Amino acid sequence: MTEPSETLLAPLRDAEPATPPAYDLDRAIRDGRRNISRRNLLVGSAAAAVLVAAGGAVGTLRPPTGSMPVAWMGPRGAAGAATDPATLTFRLAWSPATPVVDVSTSEYGQRTQHIEIGSDSHYRVAAEVGMYARGAGWRDPLITTDTPLYGQPGRTGMPDGEPGPTIGGQRSVWLSKSASGASVVWPWSPGAYAVAAARTAEMVERLVNGIRLVNEPVRAPFTAPRPPVALKLRETSVTHGPGETYAASLAFSDRADLAEPGKSWARMVRYDVIRDARRDNAGSDKIPAPTSIVDGHPAHVAFANGGELAWLFDVDGFLVEVGAWDPASLRLLGGAGAVLRTARRIRPVASPDKQSSWLPPLS
């Protein structure tokens, strides 16, 4: 689950208020993504900090239904297990109504966030559920800033704290339970942990009771080429905003942690596809102005820090961006020119505004 310069939703954190007062998710997605932060690689904030409103009490919770297969990938550091980033492992039968929903998957698990937009155009996480792979702890290592580098498990084992309700026959612990919000952690399977957080303990109860474990492919509004085998799919993120606003991203790397060894920058190839029919940068200082025409689309190709970025504008109503963020990833993708060649092969589905038409993006 990454956010190399902030995955599809993280820019909401820094978006300037729109004028007149309104919220432009597309703009926020685009305008905040350039500053790479390797360890702030996932949208939103930690579950224990999802504190937005008043708290309350909760009783014994029913266990999640279904079963979630954990795909063992062999030893990889101390993590030991991984989930498939191309597969959803749970859905929520209940969630609060919010204008933005982000679902992110990685080898460490899945996280679903329901996000509110404040009057200042900054987002607040109203509810969150994360279910993590065996050995990955109860926070994704990629977004836990106080854990070791390079994908080592973070916060393994049950934390100390106020005992929470019994969930699926297992004890839980309240990470927080106050007037500012509530969050709970529990082992949903031996060695595998889950976290649910919301404004109140009652909402946490409804979230947990609404977890439905599934085994189905991540779907996106586009299809794209698979990169060379050394670049493995490490993350996906699909974001829905108000109205027909949506975006999706895929991240690939030869490293499970998506990080350059010993450095603070990302090591990856990313595909970003955003519902946006613009044909220029519309005055944005975050998106370059087109400098050429490629296949009839305004385009821009840039080279920086040994990597390569390509933008194609108005590809059937989408802004397509492909980036090789570092020299090693660009080399694995195919060298100079490979980024633009890849971007030209990304195709929106026939009816992207109908989610039923979405496809596994690498099919």
Side-chain angles (χ1 to χ4, degrees):
M1 303 173 211
T2 68
E3 167 196 84
S5 91
E6 315 198 309
T7 194
L8 297 173
L9 190 56
L12 293 175
R13 187 167 46 233
D14 303 316
E16 297 177 358
T19 304
Y23 194 77
D24 183 347
L25 176 67
D26 287 331
R27 175 183 162 215
I29 289 170
R30 294 186 301 265
D31 287 359
R33 72 167 69 209
R34 296 289 164 249
N35 294 322
I36 300 173
S37 173
R38 191 203 72 79
R39 289 212 276 164
N40 188 21
L41 291 180
L42 185 64
V43 297
S45 56
V50 182
L51 309 173
V52 222
V58 70
T60 299
L61 306 187
R62 297 188 301 276
T65 61
S67 61
M68 171 177 154
V70 175
W72 284 86
M73 308 289 283
R76 187 179 65 243
T83 51
D84 180 2
T87 301
L88 290 178
T89 51
F90 73 88
R91 290 188 178 274
L92 296 177
W94 178 87
S95 57
T98 57
V100 181
V101 179
D102 181 82
V103 178
S104 298
T105 66
S106 77
E107 293 173 289
Y108 298 101
Q110 176 183 331
R111 190 170 79 163
T112 296
Q113 290 185 319
H114 286 257
I115 294 155
E116 296 175 330
I117 301 168
S119 59
D120 57 0
S121 292
H122 292 163
Y123 77 80
R124 296 184 300 270
V125 180
E128 174 183 314
V129 173
M131 300 190 75
Y132 300 103
R134 187 177 300 123
W138 49 271
R139 288 308 304 154
D140 189 323
L142 290 177
I143 63 164
T144 305
T145 58
D146 57 353
T147 57
L149 298 177
Y150 308 134
Q152 300 302 305
R155 307 181 188 180
T156 55
M158 288 292 286
D160 296 328
E162 178 185 349
T166 299
I167 303 176
Q170 302 296 315
R171 73 181 185 93
S172 69
V173 170
W174 289 110
L175 299 173
S176 61
K177 182 185 172 189
S178 68
S180 59
S183 56
V184 69
V185 58
W186 74 98
W188 68 269
S189 180
Y193 292 89
V195 174
R199 299 176 188 144
T200 68
E202 288 88 352
M203 288 179 67
V204 169
E205 176 181 13
R206 296 188 69 183
L207 284 171
V208 173
N209 288 339
I211 294 172
R212 300 294 182 265
L213 301 179
V214 299
N215 183 10
E216 58 188 56
V218 171
R219 296 179 181 272
F222 65 92
T223 59
R226 288 185 181 273
V229 65
L231 291 167
K232 299 182 183 300
L233 179 65
R234 302 295 185 180
E235 293 191 350
T236 76
S237 180
V238 178
T239 305
H240 291 270
E244 295 180 347
T245 309
Y246 48 83
S249 116
L250 307 176
F252 308 87
S253 180
D254 62 328
R255 294 184 57 86
D257 58 6
L258 301 104
E260 184 69 21
K263 305 295 182 180
S264 61
W265 57 75
R267 176 162 159 166
M268 69 180 71
V269 170
R270 254 177 71 107
Y271 304 168
D272 288 304
V273 180
I274 304 166
R275 188 57 157 158
D276 185 330
R278 67 164 64 199
R279 294 187 63 81
D280 56 37
N281 68 343
S284 170
D285 61 353
K286 304 295 184 181
I287 297 177
T291 55
S292 62
I293 299 294
V294 175
D295 300 334
H297 308 294
H300 183 98
V301 178
F303 301 88
N305 301 318
E308 182 178 346
L309 298 171
W311 291 262
L312 294 181
F313 295 78
D314 193 16
V315 179
D316 296 334
F318 285 83
L319 176 62
V320 173
E321 178 184 346
V322 175
W325 293 76
D326 62 284
S329 296
L330 179 58
R331 185 168 57 252
L332 290 172
L333 188 63
V339 164
L340 181 58
R341 290 195 298 271
T342 300
R344 294 174 65 187
R345 295 176 60 195
I346 293 176
R347 296 285 185 270
V349 298
S351 301
D353 292 337
K354 295 180 180 179
Q355 194 168 341
S356 60
S357 74
W358 290 17
L359 298 169
L362 298 177
S363 56

